[in-house]
Amino acid sequence: MTAQPEAPIRIEALPQHVGQDVTVEGWLTGVRSSGKIAFLQVRDGSGFVQAVVAASDVSESTFESARAVDQEAAVRIHGQVKADERAPSGVELTVTALDVVASGNTYPITPKEHGVDFLFDRRHLHVRHRRPWAMLRIRDVVERGIHDFFHEQGFLRFDSPLFMPTSVEGTTDLFEIDLFGEDTAYLAQSGQLYAEAGAMAFGKVYTFGPTFRAEKSKTRRHLLEFWMIEPEVAYLDHAGNMDLAEALVSYLAGRVLREADAELSILERDRTTLEATAKGGFARLTYAEAIDRLNEEGGDLALPYGEDFGAPHETFLGDLYDRPVFIEAWPTNIKPFYMQPFDDHPELAKCADMIAPEGYGEIVGGSERIHDLALLEARIKEHNLPQEAFAWYVDLRRHGSVPHSGFGMGLERLLAWFTGAKHLREVVPFPRMLTRMYP
RNA sequence: UCGGCGGUAGCUCAGUGGUAGAGCGAUCGGCUGUUAACCGAUUGGUCGUAGGUUCGAAUCCUACCCGCCGAGCCA
């Protein structure tokens, strides 16, 4: 144990300490050694650096311990920061002393290929590795970006409940919670209705929380538990709502390009669609125009007017552009009950879905909400929804009701697109799926 | 729920009726510039489960279990 009073330096800050003696606390992602020199690959959560132990520079016992350490051993390293062009980050650590804090003890995730199931059974360890590390760092950049964007625009974060008395849309499968045999609650699949109450109280609000869908979907675009962002704004109309969604998504793309360049490189992410997205200017197709495009250019994807889109239709439409595209003005009968119809076309809803490019599907769905009491009550009846459960929601239209709009953005869908993930599970620390509850 | 594919060593896989294999990992040794290092040795198996066909089954048949990908539904 060498006396080393200074506080440890994080690896990401090492380029500012070239020539200095520092301490780094971390773990080993790998070790290579020969008879007289050892290379320790070190990570500390902030970055990666190679530490070089030369037999000629250190005591015999230090060199022996450097040769004996294993993958994921926890180590405290003392050494000098050296600029080195061979190093990916530009710096290396020349080791003067090494404390082995704990052994890696035959770490199971070896630096070779592994299957999805093997890695996600060990997700508690897997999150230490480069690719998950980059994914989850970008998740953090986006989450902070969302809060910054809304707060800069005068929004208030307004938390919605996770236990709900009923479904927001009346259709989706919900997870039931038994309340001691006395009542049934459901896990939230949206906070929108509560956000609408918030919009009338604070003008501009957004929710940011987990949501749950009990759909037996087993595709790369589905999780049982995912995070959703739902802004809701009083006095905002349908067109303004699309402007807001576009501003948010283009802001986030720009922020990831600026703040997560190294992470995008680790993921080998092509930046073309992100760079286009950051400039804004998203195309806006009406549902009718989208149907025409499908029928004229979509081949097998031809679809009669009035049908909802499937995943292949979304992929086709998304691939028409280098940045997201809005599909607006859908027939009201294939959309939820609360959407405001156009005055001159009551059969069409003032709503829009935002489709991501590159096959990542719908990332935003939003609309202007019905603010007229009588119309909302009629819609609830048409959809056979339980009137008692929606009484408070209807009551909002009785006291100073104004036009208002909002949308929901799926965090994981957005992140999967930003990062180029093959599956949503890659952008969540501990994904929850039909076949995945552990760890 | 439906469709396609798959389950063999700790991991990734090869093996289509005749003695259970490779690479990596792990262990030991060698190597002063390695980037998934390299070289030598050692270690390693209920071939998803149950039943059937056969002189003989990882291999053929039946049922079931589990996983992956997709559809529907959705973000």
Side-chain angles (χ1 to χ4, degrees), chain A residues 18-294:
Chain A
V18 171
Q20 296 175 23
D21 288 317
V22 299
T23 300
V24 168
E25 295 176 330
W27 298 262
L28 301 180
T29 63
V31 185
R32 276 179 292 277
S33 74
S34 60
K36 302 288 182 195
I37 190 166
F39 302 97
L40 312 181
Q41 312 303 322
V42 187
R43 64 168 184 88
D44 72 346
S46 77
F48 303 86
V49 71
Q50 174 164 270
V52 184
V53 190
S56 55
D57 293 350
V58 297
S59 69
E60 196 172 318
S61 65
T62 297
F63 188 73
E64 280 312 304
S65 58
R67 293 194 64 191
V69 285
D70 51 357
Q71 190 189 357
E72 282 306 310
V75 291
R76 190 177 292 113
I77 291 173
H78 314 286
Q80 192 175 49
V81 183
K82 287 202 171 144
D84 192 310
E85 290 190 355
R86 287 167 293 190
S89 69
V91 295
E92 275 189 350
L93 219 46
T94 300
V95 176
T96 52
L98 174 71
D99 299 333
V100 179
V101 179
S103 166
N105 199 22
T106 313
Y107 186 75
I109 306 178
T110 56
K112 296 289 170 187
E113 285 175 29
H114 298 285
V116 166
D117 215 40
F118 179 84
L119 292 173
F120 279 83
D121 276 343
R122 293 158 184 78
R123 185 65 170 172
H124 55 293
L125 303 175
H126 187 214
V127 291
R128 302 177 180 195
H129 292 245
R130 254 190 177 82
R131 190 174 167 84
W133 178 85
M135 292 275 185
L136 297 176
R137 299 249 301 183
I138 292 173
R139 184 185 176 104
D140 178 67
V141 167
V142 168
E143 287 185 344
R144 279 185 292 113
I146 288 163
H147 292 305
D148 291 347
F149 174 86
F150 284 122
H151 286 139
E152 283 165 16
Q153 300 215 8
F155 280 69
L156 178 103
R157 183 176 179 184
F158 187 79
D159 297 319
S160 58
L162 297 187
F163 280 6
M164 308 284 252
T166 186
S167 164
V168 170
E169 318 213 341
T171 53
T172 337
D173 292 322
L174 304 179
F175 288 106
E176 280 192 21
I177 305 290
D178 170 45
L179 297 178
F180 313 108
E182 295 179 9
D183 204 350
T184 304
Y186 302 88
L187 290 181
Q189 34 84 282
S190 167
Q192 178 202 314
L193 269 44
Y194 295 92
E196 289 185 51
M200 298 306 145
F202 299 95
K204 302 199 259 186
V205 300
Y206 72 104
T207 70
F208 191 148
T211 51
F212 307 88
R213 301 283 165 90
E215 296 151 3
K216 292 193 174 178
S217 303
K218 292 188 287 185
T219 81
R220 74 183 82 170
R221 294 183 307 278
H222 295 271
L223 298 169
L224 297 185
E225 175 188 308
F226 65 96
W227 289 64
M228 192 150 67
I229 294 87
E230 295 177 289
E232 196 69 36
V233 185
Y235 291 104
L236 185 70
D237 66 8
H238 167 59
N241 196 37
M242 286 193 286
D243 292 342
L244 180 65
E246 177 174 318
L248 173 64
V249 171
S250 58
Y251 170 87
L252 294 173
R255 186 129 172 187
V256 166
L257 287 168
R258 281 197 311 279
E259 295 185 13
D261 184 65
E263 287 80 0
L264 291 171
S265 294
I266 286 174
L267 299 171
E268 297 177 308
R269 178 67 174 124
D270 183 298
R271 292 160 171 82
T272 308
T273 65
L274 295 189
E275 285 163 356
T277 298
K279 293 176 187 151
F282 301 178
R284 298 179 183 188
L285 294 181
T286 64
Y287 169 83
E289 289 166 341
I291 288 282
D292 287 344
R293 295 291 294 263
L294 285 167

